[in-house]
Amino acid sequence: MRWQRNRLLAGSAILLSAGLFAACSPGSDSPLSPSKSGKVTTFTTPSTVSSTMWDFAGILIPGTAGPVDLGTEETISQSGFGSIVARSSAGTHVTVKGGDLAVGASERGLGLCIPGTATTCSFPDDGDEIGDGGPGALDLDFSGVLPAGSVLTSIDLGSVQPGEGYRYSISTDGGASFGPVQEAFGGDAEDNATITFDNLPTTGLVVRLEKTVELNGECTSSCHNDYTVRAATTSVITNEELLNGRMT
């Protein structure tokens, strides 16, 4: 009987050793370090949003009252952030004024003037805001904004008195075609207004700003409705879901 008991004990020892070996084998379900698991590990880096303000008068005529006739096209540049190009419609010129005013002042920003048969505009007769001298359009081309992947988040307007309004439309093909016209009326207590955008990619982006001539059917083309384009804000998201899939 003793030899049977010894044989049973020996068999149990062999089974126990086999179980331990299986538990430690690579194909088991035991927890192992990532370096031994053979799985892909994903790492995520937090996103960072960086915004750039384009204060048009501050960039173009810092400390100068203006208004200044900029001609039919003006490139507005900031070191490291590329450029925005301002273009006027036929028969009008781009203007800028208020470089001597505080940032956020209502009478500070871009506009339009109508020179007529003259080479340059005369102020104040030819106007210095969008709609001041008559109808016209100011196009802001954001295609040159840097870094790549930037988006437009807002455009700030000034000199929008009670009952006055503005009109804008958007092109995503470099100005070849524009979407439906949007209109809004009235500014805040300082006569300023902000057009907000849902992170419009700046590649091929042109925003057209025009005079609005009606409010609830009560105005005609003689309505004042002139305003300045004070600033724009562009943003870029960096490190957004930066994924490194690696076999470890």
Side-chain angles (χ1 to χ4, degrees), residues 26-105:
S28 72
D29 294 329
S30 63
L32 297 174
S33 65
S35 63
K36 303 296 183 181
S37 66
K39 297 180 179 179
V40 175
T41 304
T42 301
F43 301 90
T44 302
T45 302
S47 301
T48 301
V49 179
S50 301
S51 296
T52 302
M53 180 180 177
W54 298 78
D55 171 25
F56 299 125
I59 296 170
L60 294 171
I61 54 167
T64 300
V68 176
D69 183 342
L70 300 174
T72 59
E73 181 174 301
E74 180 70 17
T75 299
I76 305 157
S77 301
Q78 292 201 77
S79 179
F81 300 102
S83 61
I84 296 171
V85 178
R87 300 186 183 95
S88 61
S89 57
T92 67
H93 287 181
V94 182
T95 64
V96 64
K97 66 176 181 177
D100 60 332
L101 301 177
V103 174

Side-chain angles (χ1 to χ4, degrees), residues 178-192:
F178 285 84
V181 171
Q182 307 293 322
E183 292 182 296
F185 292 85
D188 60 18
E190 285 74 40
D191 296 330
N192 294 326

Side-chain angles (χ1 to χ4, degrees), residues 108-133:
R108 173 185 173 109
L110 300 175
L112 294 172
C113 66
I114 301 178
T117 58
T119 303
T120 60
C121 290
S122 298
F123 303 106
D125 293 344
D126 295 332
D128 58 22
E129 298 181 2
I130 294 177
D132 192 6

Side-chain angles (χ1 to χ4, degrees), residues 44-50 236-242:
T44 302
T45 302
S47 301
T48 301
V49 179
S50 301
V236 64
I237 302 175
T238 57
N239 297 330
E240 182 179 20
E241 294 184 356
L242 180 62

Side-chain angles (χ1 to χ4, degrees), residues 129-219:
E129 298 181 2
I130 294 177
D132 192 6
L138 174 67
D139 286 357
L140 295 180
D141 187 340
F142 292 88
S143 299
V145 171
L146 296 175
S150 293
V151 296
L152 174 65
T153 57
S154 66
I155 293 177
D156 295 324
L157 309 178
S159 192
V160 185
Q161 281 82 29
E164 295 181 358
Y166 49 92
R167 173 183 294 178
Y168 67 93
S169 53
I170 298 168
S171 170
T172 57
D173 56 11
S177 60
F178 285 84
V181 171
Q182 307 293 322
E183 292 182 296
F185 292 85
D188 60 18
E190 285 74 40
D191 296 330
N192 294 326
T194 299
I195 306 171
T196 58
F197 302 95
D198 187 16
N199 293 330
L200 287 176
T202 55
T203 301
L205 177 64
V206 179
V207 178
R208 175 164 291 174
L209 297 139
E210 300 174 272
K211 176 180 180 177
T212 293
V213 297
E214 271 190 38
L215 173 60
N216 299 327
E218 297 176 1
C219 288

Side-chain angles (χ1 to χ4, degrees), residues 2-40:
R2 179 176 296 177
W3 65 269
Q4 290 180 340
R5 183 175 60 185
N6 290 340
R7 179 176 292 181
L8 289 173
L9 290 174
S12 298
I14 292 172
L15 291 174
L16 179 59
S17 298
L20 290 173
F21 179 80
C24 296
S25 66
S28 72
D29 294 329
S30 63
L32 297 174
S33 65
S35 63
K36 303 296 183 181
S37 66
K39 297 180 179 179
V40 175

